[in-house]
Structure formats: C-alpha cells, structure tokens
Amino acid sequence: MPAYFLQETLKYADICCALNKYLMHSWLSIPSESDFSLQNLPYGVFHLGDGRLRAGMAIGDHIIDLAAASELGLFGKKRFFYKIFTQSTLNDFIALGKPVTNRVRKKVQDWLRLEQRPDNAAQILVNRAEAQMVMPIRVPNYTDFYSSIEHATNVGKMFRPDNPLLPNWRWLPVGYHGRASSIVVSGTPIRRPHGQILPPGGAPDTPVFAASRQLDFELEMAFIIGKESPLGTPITVEQADEYIFGLVIFNDWSARDIQRWEYVPLGPFLGKNFGSSISPWIVPLEALKPHRVKSPKQQPEPLPYLATKGLQNYDIHLEVSLLHGDQSTVISRSNTRYLYWSMAQQLAHHTVNGCNVQVGDMMASGTISGPTPGSFGSLLELSWGGKHEIALSDGTVRKFLEDGDTLRMRAWAGAADRKVGFGQVEGTVLPAHDTAG
Amino acid sequence: MPAYFLQETLKYADICCALNKYLMHSWLSIPSESDFSLQNLPYGVFHLGDGRLRAGMAIGDHIIDLAAASELGLFGKKRFFYKIFTQSTLNDFIALGKPVTNRVRKKVQDWLRLEQRPDNAAQILVNRAEAQMVMPIRVPNYTDFYSSIEHATNVGKMFRPDNPLLPNWRWLPVGYHGRASSIVVSGTPIRRPHGQILPPGGAPDTPVFAASRQLDFELEMAFIIGKESPLGTPITVEQADEYIFGLVIFNDWSARDIQRWEYVPLGPFLGKNFGSSISPWIVPLEALKPHRVKSPKQQPEPLPYLATKGLQNYDIHLEVSLLHGDQSTVISRSNTRYLYWSMAQQLAHHTVNGCNVQVGDMMASGTISGPTPGSFGSLLELSWGGKHEIALSDGTVRKFLEDGDTLRMRAWAGAADRKVGFGQVEGTVLPAHDTAG
C-alpha cells in the first residue's frame, strides 16, 4: 500500500489516536475512569505505615515506588536516584529540571508499556490503598491569586455593592502572599479557628474574641514552581511553562468573619493562615497539555508583558462535595477554564518587578467560580453571604461549615482510559479549642 | 569588713554593676562604642572570600569563628557542632533550642573572659573587616506587621484623609504575609522595579507599565523565630520570649506607585516583594533584655489574649542615612520603643487562630516612625507623599530614592562598653532594567 494512500485515508488525528492507543497500552490492569492513567503519572510522597518516606507515581490502583525502581536501576545512577527518591519531599527531584524529570517519566511509561509484565513488577508496585500520602513538597513561598472574574465579582457585590469589580482587577492578576507553613496534605483535619470577630448586633467596630462562625472553603488549583529564577529577573509569559512543574487541587480554608474585620488595608491574614489543604499527587504540566483550551476574552487588552498567544487555560473539571455522617452532597461543579487570568500571566506578573521564585513555591488560582450559582467555588458565594441555605442530601442545611463536616474536592481532565485526574483533597472540620480568650 | 556593712554601703545596683564589669572584662581589646560588646555576641554566617561558609559571633572588630571553635572542642561534641557551624544558614543551630544556644553563648563569653589570651585565640578569631557576611537564615515564612501608630496614622492621613486610622488598628496588630524569597543580606544592591503605575495626568484608572518613580525604604526591625509550634496551637504572650531567637534591622523597600494601584483589596504585593534587606548579625533576645522599656499606653484595653504585663518594648535607637557620592546625610532618627504593639502581642495574635511558626520565620515590625517629623521611618512620610523635599548634605534634594543612592540603617541599644548594636543594613539602588514592557 503506497504511503500517500495511507495519508489520504487516515486523517492525521486518527493516526495519532491509534498510535497513542498502541503506545499507551500497559501489561498492568488500569481501571477505566481511573484518575491515574498512563497519560497522567503524577508524583507524590508516601509510606506504608512504617514512616519510611519515598517518592511515587500513581498508576491506576497502584503506586510506582520510585525508590525501589531506582534501586533496581530503572533510571541509571542507582545511588543518586535512590537518594533523591527517599527524601521527605520532591523538591530536590523537581530541582533537577524538566530534562531529567521528563526522562524519569518516560522511563516509567516505557516500563509500563513493556510487552509483558516484567519480573521486577512486584518489587516496584505498591497497592495504592495501602499507602499513606504525606505533604509532597516543602513550600518555600505561597502566593494566592484572585483570578476568577465570577468570584471577584460575586465577593465584590457582597462586600462593596456599588463597586463590585475594583478598577485594577481587569488590568492585573490581583494576588497576595499567603502563609506557607500551614499548607497541609489532604486528610489533615482543620481546627476551627478563634479570632477577632464583630458580633451581629454588637457595638460598632467593637470585636469579640470567639471561634469563627463563618468557616468556609475556597475551590482553587495551585501550580508548583519547578525552576529557580534569580532576584531581579522577570519570567515572561512565554517562559512560564519552563517554570511550572505541575498542579494540585488547593482548598484555601477561610474564616469569613475573621477576614472581614482584619483585611483592610493590608489584606487577608488570620482569616486564611490557619490552614490550606492540597491534594497529594502533583500532576505534571506535561500530562495536562492535551487539555489546553482558550481563555475567556480579556477586555481591556492586557499590557504587553501580560499578552499571550495560543491556548493558555486548561479544561479541568472541578467538583466539591460536603460529607456529613455517611451522606455526601455535591455542592459545586466548576472548571479551571473559567479563569480570567492564566497561570502564565500570573507568573509573569508576579515576577515582572524582579521578584524571584524558588523550587516548590506554590501559586494558587484563587477561588474558581463559574458563571452559574451551581458552579460557585465557596460557601460565601453559594449561600450568598449567608442569605440562602444549601440543602444537603441528609436533609440538613448549611450556610457555612459545621464541626464534623468533611469537605472534598476532586479535579480531572479528559475521560475514560485517558483521564488525567488529581484524586482529591479533603479535610474534616474539628471543633474549636476550648479557650478562655 | 563584715558582710552586713558591705550590703549597707553598696546599693544592690552598684554590686551588679561592679560584678558585671568584672565579669565582662576580656583579654581581647574591644573598642569602646563598638556595636559588638561582650554583652552582645550576635550570630552571623560569613566567609573569607573563599566561599567556605561558617557561623560566627561578632565581638568588637573580630569574629569568633564558631566552626574553628568547635573543632578545637570549645563546645564539646566536636563533630556535631562543627557540622552545625559549617552549614550555609543558622537554622539548624537555632533549632537546637535556647538551652543549647545559650550554653554556646555562655561558653564563648567565658572564653573571652579568661585571665589571659588563650593559645587557641589566633585559630578562633577572624578580623571582621576581612569577612564577607551572607544571609544568615533560610526564611521559611515572612510576616510584616504595621505596629507603629505614628506610621499608620501618617500613611492613613495621606491615603484616606477622612479616616486615617482604620477601626481595627487599635484592636489588633495588623499584619500581612510578605515574600520570603526576596529577603537579602545587607550590601545586596536593589534593582528599581517595573510595574503597573497610574501616571500623573493619565486617563483615570488606566495604568502604564513603567519603572517605579517612587522607590522608598521602610525602617523596621524583625524578629526571628527560634522554636517551631504545631499547627492548631496558639503561642501566648507569656510564651513569646521562648519562641523569639533574636532580632535584625529590616529595610522593607517599597515602590509606592506600584503599591498604590495594586493594594486594594488584598494588600501590598509587587510594591514590596522585589526585595527586603536585613542586617547580617542576629542579636539574641537575651542580649536585649537589659534594654526593655514600657510600651505606649494602649487604648482600648487589649482583648485578654493580647494583654501583657511588665516591660514589653525595647529601647533600640534607630538611624537612617542616605548616602550619595561621598556624602552621607542622616534623614531619620527613631526608636523601637515607640511601637504600639509589642513583639509578644504580634506573635500571640499571629498564632491565636492556630497558625504555626517555623524556625527562621521572620516577623517585621512595620515602619517604625516616631512622633516628630525627624523620626519618620519612610520617605513617603518624610516628604509627606512627595510634597516636601528632603535636603541632603551634598546640596541635592530627594522626595524618593534615586538610582545610585545608598540607604543605610543602624540600630543599637545601650552605650559605651556595653553597647548592644546591630551593625547596619545597607543597599544601593540600581537603575531599572531596560525593558520594552
């Protein structure tokens, strides 16, 4: 069959798809609809109940034990990689740079695509259900953006009805520095914080010290910096992909009553820094590239240093559930594609003044609300500042989170055998400490 | 002479003084008025041009090479301390805790008080003039407070004339998270940042991308956390001293024009995170205890979790000079005793919601302005928002910093042979990069 015939008959996309299907078949059984397909291979740090931390890659119902794989010589330089993969965080691995991390990714993909189950499979594979995930990253710096126009407008309407979207919002990706020390991995319970609060019906501008009554979540995604930049040197929008290692789901727990009293003029502080939770698996940017989509139209046109070309957003489905007792209710469905400001724009803006970035830095999107009420990314918006009640499947209602509530967020791109999922981030609200104040 | 007679004749204070004088005499010649008396012994990290980093303590014109001292067995456990003192930062040393760090301090004091110059002096002492100081700490988290009522009122008057001091200010030590990655050691030049700025006479709410024209300093002191706290557990005002290892001078460089456009509603971001400078020597809290003084009266009375007893402020003299060419002009003289909120209150507030702290965390005071114009801690206040010119000794004037200007801050408590000084923090303004924008 002449080559030109083949070219005529099969469309390019078909070839890619067939090729990919062939390349992406594994001897390992990977459940369809698993978050962790061969296209994904996210990184995490785990142990098996013994506290011996090691790096891993999630695949279906398993984990590739990267420490074991390096001991068996899968990546060459046995001692070097063994040392890297038995550290308590992925920072040193990520700092090796994308040429190295992508080669490791490729080696694992090749190993999973061998003709038949290799002899060393039992030594390298771990049942995911048996693993305990820990914080995968030491976070040197954490920044939170405010990049959803729907969220900024909703919050603006509640706090400043006359002036919902502030004049700077469409010109720059508004952001602020958050607290890195209190970022925790999924599963860590969150203690209801105390703080200064203006009680309803109290004397004007006279706070009391009390446990927060308006505990909330914020549905966000965060990207993790994979490459250091020197102080004084901006990162351009075109360079951003080089600097972004991967993404996690991010829950920016918020105490609205504490935040409301404290945030003018220097921004949120104790209303946020009592805890933020991330999903344990870092999905590499490479795995998300097939899921790039157009961004919303930006008006006014961004200044030149923020101007981008091509597909900058990602089609990542987001789902928030509130678990109470043995019942679970989906309370929001959103998507990262709604974000007005892209990650490249966030990073370019963050560094345009010469601010440097470090490996492991986390930059969160801000709450990702969509255009409809069912897609709002916080209880503040879902209950419209506590005006409406949200009905749960067990018949109870919520305006804000109650003690014992578990909040779960999930995120995924694609579907079926090619899903690139993030797993989940969840946290349960513990009652406030009994404090005299 | 019977003992009771001695007790009658000499007052208690005299005894202490005489005793102290005896105890605090050294075989080493320490220039009078040196910042680095026997009472001080601040910690830093240095090298001698060879890049081999080691920890040191400043004493007069010398440095105690703590790596050399540990090799010679001064602290026992030779290998342990040698390893600790040859690291690139002091974090691991500080994390040993005050019982250990104070014992090291005591050993060095004892060694300096020997009857005569010990044989190992030449191996342990380094000429301070030959040493290059580096960043002494890895800073996991950086928080900036806003604790001077004079500064907050001044800035408030300029930005919000009707409402200078916001309602929350007297109730809580307002603070926000800053950028840890861009904290640099004294001597590091600071590049004038670019950013979005509203040009004078431009279209309303329409920024341009340009180099900052309102580059400023902020005169601050910062304390460094010496003990980790777990997430969820507040640190009380009474516990604060356990958690504060020591202090440095802190210059929070600020680009006022960038800050003004960006800071509502989430606080300062690019107007600050292009660089902050610290003095290289960390003065331990123990050295400052004799210089405790009363705090300003707080009205309204602080909520119980912020209530303190005893002397909470420090009498630390502050001086800011602007150097231009070969001329130096003192442009401000202030004092930490003016601070409305004490360090203990800052730390108790920061953690009252359960926010955790880590060893090396830096918490800066905010600009320390005094009550008179000559004691204002920023050019924003000294030039009253650019309305007045500040005359320099070379006949030029300033409203904000110009390229090539060097800003120097000094700080010290006490005087003569018992001075507890911080040395200085300085930085020179480099012209903005040539950028298309």
Side-chain angles (χ1 to χ4, degrees):
Chain A
M1 188 164 58
Y4 74 90
F5 180 76
L6 193 74
Q7 282 163 22
E8 293 296 312
T9 330
L10 293 176
K11 283 184 206 147
Y12 177 70
D14 292 336
I15 299 177
C16 288
C17 183
L19 193 69
N20 217 321
K21 199 145 196 167
Y22 167 71
L23 288 175
M24 286 304 187
H25 182 77
S26 176
W27 47 264
L28 181 66
S29 162
I30 303 167
S32 185
E33 292 296 333
S34 169
D35 270 358
F36 306 124
S37 69
L38 256 173
Q39 277 79 5
N40 191 351
L41 296 180
Y43 295 95
V45 178
F46 71 100
H47 68 95
L48 296 170
D50 55 1
R52 284 178 52 229
L53 297 177
R54 60 235 355 262
M57 268 178 178
I59 179 74
D61 293 336
H62 291 87
I63 294 175
I64 310 278
D65 179 337
L66 292 170
S70 46
E71 255 186 321
L72 294 169
L74 204 65
F75 315 118
K77 294 190 194 168
K78 291 185 194 188
R79 283 171 58 96
F80 175 81
F81 278 107
Y82 183 76
K83 207 173 154 191
I84 286 279
F85 287 133
T86 48
Q87 299 195 13
S88 60
T89 64
L90 293 166
N91 293 60
D92 284 356
F93 171 64
I94 294 172
L96 296 174
K98 289 207 180 186
V100 178
T101 58
N102 282 342
R103 193 159 55 77
V104 165
R105 180 175 161 77
K106 174 78 171 41
K107 293 266 186 196
V108 170
Q109 258 172 353
D110 288 350
W111 182 78
L112 285 165
R113 287 190 296 109
L114 290 171
E115 298 262 323
Q116 53 187 29
R117 184 181 179 89
D119 295 340
N120 57 12
Q123 291 158 274
I124 291 178
L125 289 178
V126 169
N127 280 331
R128 202 152 55 74
E130 290 166 21
Q132 293 177 32
M133 305 305 300
V134 301
M135 186 71 191
I137 285 282
R138 180 178 57 75
V139 182
N141 304 274
Y142 153 50
T143 299
D144 195 20
F145 285 93
Y146 190 54
S147 288
S148 154
I149 197 164
E150 290 83 2
H151 172 67
T153 307
N154 286 339
V155 174
K157 278 183 192 165
M158 283 177 253
F159 284 70
R160 299 171 300 273
D162 302 335
N163 196 15
L165 205 60
L166 289 161
N168 58 13
W169 201 93
R170 285 172 174 275
W171 287 99
L172 54 85
V174 170
Y176 67 108
H177 300 297
R179 181 81 188 173
S181 70
S182 51
I183 300 177
V184 295
V185 76
S186 177
T188 311
I190 296 295
R191 177 76 61 185
R192 181 181 297 275
H194 278 86
Q196 293 197 18
I197 291 165
L198 292 184
D205 293 336
T206 304
V208 297
F209 182 75
S212 170
R213 285 161 214 167
Q214 299 190 340
L215 188 60
D216 199 356
F217 67 88
E218 290 196 339
L219 170 64
E220 309 195 10
M221 296 292 292
F223 65 88
I224 291 164
I225 292 293
K227 184 176 170 180
E228 193 167 295
S229 72
L231 186 61
T233 305
I235 298 168
T236 65
V237 285
E238 291 81 13
Q239 292 168 328
D241 278 7
E242 279 173 51
Y243 286 84
I244 299 175
F245 177 74
L247 278 74
V248 291
I249 320 173
F250 193 96
N251 181 355
D252 180 22
W253 303 92
S254 300
R256 300 301 177 189
D257 36 12
I258 296 173
Q259 185 184 345
R260 193 175 296 111
W261 170 237
E262 75 176 355
Y263 91 104
V264 179
L266 299 183
F269 187 46
L270 300 195
K272 299 277 190 175
N273 66 15
F274 58 92
S276 316
S277 304
I278 64 166
S279 53
W281 294 106
I282 304 173
V283 174
L285 195 67
E286 286 61 36
L288 291 164
K289 285 199 170 157
H291 304 285
R292 291 200 168 201
V293 289
K294 267 179 74 175
S295 304
K297 172 131 184 81
Q298 296 187 312
Q299 191 59 39
E301 204 172 296
L303 289 169
Y305 81 94
L306 291 173
T308 53
K309 280 180 209 143
L311 307 178
Q312 294 291 337
N313 273 26
Y314 291 84
D315 184 18
I316 303 173
H317 304 275
L318 305 170
E319 191 183 87
V320 183
S321 303
L322 202 156
L323 285 69
H324 178 234
D326 57 358
Q327 297 279 310
S328 170
T329 312
V330 174
I331 57 173
S332 177
R333 288 192 175 88
S334 187
N335 193 304
T336 55
R337 66 188 304 155
Y338 299 131
L339 286 168
Y340 187 88
W341 294 104
S342 66
M343 294 190 286
Q345 289 174 321
Q346 290 166 352
L347 187 54
H349 180 66
H350 199 318
T351 61
V352 75
N353 66 345
C355 180
N356 57 331
V357 298
Q358 296 176 315
V359 171
D361 283 358
M362 213 168 265
M363 303 201 179
S365 56
T367 307
I368 307 170
S369 292
T372 57
S375 64
F376 293 169
S378 66
L379 285 171
L380 180 71
E381 294 163 270
L382 291 166
S383 77
W384 207 254
K387 288 211 176 81
H388 314 312
E389 288 177 334
I390 296 138
L392 303 187
S393 57
D394 67 352
T396 64
V397 294
R398 291 290 181 283
K399 290 177 173 179
F400 291 99
L401 294 171
E402 294 189 1
D403 294 346
D405 284 352
T406 295
L407 203 289
R408 178 184 294 166
M409 297 174 178
R410 295 177 56 232
W412 67 92
D417 291 340
R418 332 197 59 197
K419 206 166 157 189
V420 176
F422 288 76
Q424 62 182 39
V425 54
E426 69 171 40
T428 299
V429 178
L430 299 182
H433 280 303
D434 192 14
T435 299
Chain B
M1 190 163 57
Y4 75 89
F5 180 76
L6 193 74
Q7 283 163 23
E8 293 296 313
T9 330
L10 292 175
K11 284 185 203 141
Y12 177 69
D14 291 335
I15 299 177
C16 289
C17 184
L19 193 70
N20 216 321
K21 200 147 197 165
Y22 166 72
L23 288 173
M24 286 304 187
H25 182 78
S26 176
W27 46 264
L28 180 66
S29 161
I30 302 167
S32 183
E33 292 297 333
S34 169
D35 271 358
F36 307 123
S37 69
L38 256 173
Q39 277 78 3
N40 191 350
L41 296 180
Y43 296 94
V45 178
F46 72 99
H47 68 96
L48 296 169
D50 55 1
R52 283 178 51 230
L53 297 177
R54 59 234 356 263
M57 267 178 178
I59 178 75
D61 293 335
H62 292 86
I63 294 174
I64 311 278
D65 179 338
L66 292 171
S70 46
E71 255 185 322
L72 293 169
L74 204 64
F75 314 119
K77 293 191 195 168
K78 291 186 193 186
R79 282 169 57 96
F80 175 81
F81 279 107
Y82 182 76
K83 207 173 156 192
I84 286 278
F85 288 134
T86 49
Q87 299 195 12
S88 59
T89 63
L90 292 166
N91 294 60
D92 285 356
F93 171 64
I94 293 172
L96 296 175
K98 289 206 180 187
V100 178
T101 59
N102 283 342
R103 195 158 54 77
V104 166
R105 179 175 162 77
K106 175 76 171 41
K107 292 267 184 195
V108 170
Q109 259 172 352
D110 288 348
W111 182 78
L112 285 165
R113 288 189 297 109
L114 290 171
E115 297 263 322
Q116 54 187 28
R117 184 182 179 89
D119 294 340
N120 57 13
Q123 292 158 274
I124 290 177
L125 289 177
V126 170
N127 280 330
R128 202 154 53 75
E130 291 167 20
Q132 293 177 32
M133 304 305 298
V134 301
M135 186 70 192
I137 284 282
R138 181 177 58 75
V139 182
N141 305 273
Y142 154 50
T143 299
D144 195 19
F145 285 93
Y146 189 54
S147 287
S148 153
I149 197 163
E150 291 84 1
H151 171 69
T153 308
N154 286 339
V155 172
K157 278 181 192 165
M158 283 177 253
F159 285 71
R160 300 171 299 272
D162 303 334
N163 196 15
L165 206 60
L166 289 162
N168 57 14
W169 200 94
R170 285 172 175 274
W171 286 99
L172 54 85
V174 171
Y176 67 108
H177 299 296
R179 181 83 187 172
S181 71
S182 52
I183 300 176
V184 295
V185 76
S186 177
T188 310
I190 296 294
R191 177 77 60 185
R192 181 183 297 275
H194 278 86
Q196 294 196 17
I197 290 164
L198 292 184
D205 291 336
T206 305
V208 296
F209 182 76
S212 170
R213 284 161 214 168
Q214 299 189 341
L215 190 59
D216 200 354
F217 67 88
E218 290 195 340
L219 170 64
E220 309 194 10
M221 296 293 292
F223 65 88
I224 291 165
I225 292 291
K227 184 177 170 180
E228 193 167 295
S229 72
L231 186 62
T233 305
I235 298 168
T236 64
V237 285
E238 290 81 13
Q239 293 168 326
D241 278 7
E242 280 174 49
Y243 285 85
I244 299 175
F245 177 74
L247 277 75
V248 291
I249 321 173
F250 194 96
N251 181 354
D252 180 22
W253 303 92
S254 300
R256 300 299 177 189
D257 36 11
I258 296 173
Q259 186 184 345
R260 193 175 296 113
W261 169 237
E262 75 176 356
Y263 90 104
V264 178
L266 299 183
F269 187 46
L270 300 195
K272 299 277 191 177
N273 66 15
F274 58 92
S276 315
S277 303
I278 63 166
S279 53
W281 293 107
I282 304 172
V283 174
L285 195 67
E286 285 61 36
L288 292 164
K289 285 200 170 157
H291 305 284
R292 291 200 169 202
V293 290
K294 266 181 73 174
S295 305
K297 170 130 184 83
Q298 297 188 311
Q299 192 58 39
E301 204 172 295
L303 290 170
Y305 81 93
L306 292 173
T308 53
K309 280 179 210 144
L311 307 178
Q312 295 290 337
N313 274 25
Y314 291 85
D315 184 18
I316 304 173
H317 304 274
L318 305 170
E319 190 184 86
V320 183
S321 304
L322 202 157
L323 285 69
H324 179 232
D326 56 358
Q327 297 279 310
S328 170
T329 312
V330 174
I331 57 173
S332 177
R333 286 191 177 89
S334 187
N335 193 305
T336 55
R337 66 188 304 154
Y338 299 132
L339 286 168
Y340 187 89
W341 294 104
S342 67
M343 294 189 287
Q345 290 173 319
Q346 290 166 353
L347 187 55
H349 181 65
H350 199 319
T351 61
V352 76
N353 66 345
C355 180
N356 57 332
V357 298
Q358 297 176 315
V359 171
D361 283 358
M362 212 168 265
M363 303 202 180
S365 56
T367 307
I368 307 169
S369 292
T372 58
S375 65
F376 292 169
S378 66
L379 285 170
L380 180 72
E381 293 162 270
L382 290 165
S383 76
W384 206 255
K387 287 210 177 80
H388 313 311
E389 288 178 335
I390 296 137
L392 303 186
S393 57
D394 67 351
T396 64
V397 294
R398 291 290 182 284
K399 291 178 173 177
F400 291 99
L401 294 170
E402 294 189 1
D403 294 345
D405 284 352
T406 296
L407 203 289
R408 178 183 294 165
M409 296 173 179
R410 295 178 55 231
W412 67 95
D417 291 340
R418 332 196 58 196
K419 206 166 157 189
V420 176
F422 288 77
Q424 61 183 40
V425 54
E426 68 171 40
T428 300
V429 178
L430 300 181
H433 280 301
D434 192 14
T435 300

